[in-house]
């Protein structure tokens, strides 16, 4: 009998606290969490990617890395504004478009997968503690003969 499934059924769906973000151990797929990992990977590949691309088309794309984002903002400020032809300014003129479905600058593409992330996180938090899945969280060491040789000296 699987006590975890019974406990999950009684406790109801999990919730994420704070903004949607992937856990630090994200790309792992521990034994016992295959179903939740597949749903999350499918959601990230489809809904979240489509929303992120829509945000980039609208000119709202943000980088995960702070230094890249600072460079992008600096380049935008240096360029002279000849013709502002971003998708966001083109759409504001149209009256027949439903603006509630369009992305905004503060949207998070991972919000599309919020429930899948919550299920994945709950399952992985439980399964990664088991002995059969410990290896997935362990850092691994590359043997010396497989390391790149330095050309100096």
């Amino acid at each position: 009998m699987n006590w975890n499934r019974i406990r999950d059924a009684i406790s109801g769906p999990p919730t994420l606290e704070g903004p949607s973000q992937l856990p630090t151990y994200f790309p792992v797929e521990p034994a016992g969490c295959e179903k939740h990992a597949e749903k999350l990977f499918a959601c990230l590949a489809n809904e979240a990617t489509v929303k992120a691309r829509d945000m980039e088309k609208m000119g709202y794309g943000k980088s995960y890395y702070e230094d890249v984002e600072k460079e992008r903002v600096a380049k935008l400020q240096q360029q002279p504004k000849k013709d502002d032809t971003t998708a966001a300014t083109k759409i504001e003129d149209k009256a027949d478009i439903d603006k509630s479905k369009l992305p905004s600058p503060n949207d998070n593409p991972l919000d599309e997968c919020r429930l899948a992330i919550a299920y994945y996180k709950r399952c992985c938090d439980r399964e990664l503690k088991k002995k059969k899945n410990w290896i997935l969280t362990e850092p691994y060491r590359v043997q010396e003969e497989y390391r790149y040789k330095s050309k100096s000296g």
Side-chain angles (χ1 to χ4, degrees), residues 51 58 60 88 91-92 97-104 107:
K51 186 167 184 176
M58 297 289 286
Y60 302 141
I91 289 178
E92 288 181 10
I97 296 175
D98 185 14
K99 292 186 172 98
S100 65
K101 294 182 181 177
L102 296 176
S104 67
D107 281 350

Side-chain angles (χ1 to χ4, degrees), residues 19-83:
S20 299
Q21 61 183 20
L22 296 170
T24 56
Y25 49 77
F26 163 62
V28 301
E29 187 176 336
C33 294
E34 295 89 358
K35 181 178 78 171
H36 298 298
E38 263 185 49
K39 285 183 182 178
L40 176 62
F41 295 152
C43 182
L44 290 175
N46 297 322
E47 292 91 7
T49 303
V50 168
K51 186 167 184 176
R53 287 183 180 154
D54 288 344
M55 289 177 66
E56 287 174 1
K57 286 178 188 174
M58 297 289 286
Y60 302 141
K62 294 180 183 175
S63 176
Y64 178 76
Y65 303 102
E66 292 179 13
D67 55 342
V68 174
E69 183 66 19
K70 288 177 186 176
E71 288 177 18
R72 186 184 72 81
V73 171
K75 284 182 183 178
L76 286 175
Q77 291 174 350
Q78 289 176 355
Q79 292 177 350
K81 290 199 173 192
K82 300 176 216 167
D83 182 26

Side-chain angles (χ1 to χ4, degrees), residues 7-17 36 114-116 118-119 122:
R7 185 176 65 194
D8 291 346
I10 293 171
S11 66
T15 57
L16 277 182
E17 310 264 328
H36 298 298
R114 191 169 179 85
L115 188 60
Y119 275 112
R122 178 172 75 180

